[in-house]
Amino acid sequence: MRILTGYSNELSPGIQTKLFKYRYDVFVNRLGWELDTPMDMEKDQFDHEDTLYVVAKDDEQNIQGCARLLPTTEPYLLEEVFPELLNGMPAPKSNEIWEVSRFTNASTTDKQTSGISVGNGGQISEVSFYELLKKTIQCAKMKGAKHLISVSPVGIERLLKKCKISSHRLGPPIISNNHAIVACWINIEESMI
Amino acid sequence: MLYPSENGLVRISYQNLSGLKFCHYYSDLHDTDETELELNDSLTVLAGSTEWISKTTPLLSIGWCWKLDHTNNSIAYIMDGEPYSNIMIIDNVSHRDIGQIKTSEVLEKFISQLNWSDEVKCFINEKYS
């Protein structure tokens, strides 16, 4: 398993295509998210040249996990699409705060669906939630981030707590696509890098 | 007066929190792959989560996981794990943060005083009937 990071112009066209197809499979096909996206390729207005990607590939070059990072100094998902999750707080705008979205470690062989998109453990082709999150945090930290924010299913809070990652919610969840989603604030601490 | 800080946490003393009314907002069973299905004398262990909110501006939000407890030949909903919230409890005198760990303990105490299990039971039964 290899986890690579980079802006869109740093990823090969082949990887980018595989990434968007993987995201379509996970988020549209398996989780049933109603997204306005081309058929078979999940990408939106937040996939652009300033988007940073984290991609986990197995030895067969299949994508087994991914994450997307956006600086809050530019438009981002929580601000533009789910501002109600901010609970009245102004949308953060800082080089030290990045948004993580489209985070999943669902294996391409994982047939189960989950609001959290967590794959089963024990298979060598899979990347663990913690491994992928750690790499995502490292990537953001290298760009100056001290905190991450995200819009996630409420189950993410349990996983963050299990991984002993300092975090809290920004307000009550809302129900979207039959799933309860919440905005999370994650503190990047030295101990987790 | 309540307001969200720059990291979203709303600071409040336990004394003030205790005076607030919280309402049930939403409950659900955990997704199938997370739910423990344990067959033991024909009993199935179920688990889920529940969300409660205040009637303040900004909203105070507390969520926690629960599970059914089958001991003593009775079935009860019990809290499972720590609560999740946008609350930071402050000391009533110094007005300083008591920290995440102590806040979590205080919120568990607050939750234990809510009559939440009946509300959750009714909501879940209605949702899945």
Side-chain angles (χ1 to χ4, degrees), chain A residues 87 115 158 167-169 173, chain B residues 7 25 31 34 51 59 61 84:
Chain A
N87 196 28
R158 291 197 297 283
S167 67
H168 60 265
R169 57 174 57 174
Chain B
N7 66 357
Y25 173 60
D31 286 342
E34 300 171 69
E51 295 286 339
L59 293 169
S61 166
Y84 309 102

Side-chain angles (χ1 to χ4, degrees), chain A residues 169 171-173, chain B residues 22 51-53 59-63 84-87:
Chain A
R169 57 174 57 174
Chain B
F22 272 70
E51 295 286 339
W52 291 61
I53 52 174
L59 293 169
L60 299 181
S61 166
I62 309 178
Y84 309 102
S85 80
N86 63 332
I87 297 168

